[in-house]
Amino acid sequence: MNGVHTAWINGLAFAPKTEKYVLSASKDGYMKLWSVEGNCYEVDKFEVTRSKAAVECIATNSTYIFTGTRYVLGFYSSIRAIRLEIIPFSLHILK
């Protein structure tokens, strides 16, 4: 299969507004868009952060795509992954 990730896949989600595409998130720092009609193939790939930090999670709703790395929470619109906003965050552990 062409276009495989080069590290572990941490999550899969259907692309918003369609069941023809699936998104994968990987420790290689990329989110990839796959067609699931007929033979599965890579349609596009998106570098989630410039530092290629591992993409730890991915989720979608009817409109947006959400990704999370250790340092960045990403919001995207549409399956073309146009970045709407990036919000740096830190985890605060309550004792």
Side-chain angles (χ1 to χ4, degrees), residues 57-72:
C57 59
I58 187 167
T60 60
N61 65 16
S62 62
T63 307
Y64 299 108
I65 302 163
F66 308 94
T67 58
T69 71
R70 184 174 178 182
Y71 305 106
V72 177

Side-chain angles (χ1 to χ4, degrees), residues 29-75:
Y30 287 95
M31 172 175 60
K32 292 190 176 193
L33 178 67
W34 302 89
S35 172
V36 293
E37 290 191 326
N39 293 331
C40 182
Y41 62 92
E42 179 185 322
V43 175
D44 211 344
K45 76 177 183 179
F46 313 94
E47 190 173 8
V48 174
T49 65
R50 290 186 186 133
S51 64
K52 294 190 180 176
V55 184
E56 301 294 344
C57 59
I58 187 167
T60 60
N61 65 16
S62 62
T63 307
Y64 299 108
I65 302 163
F66 308 94
T67 58
T69 71
R70 184 174 178 182
Y71 305 106
V72 177
L73 177 61
F75 296 81

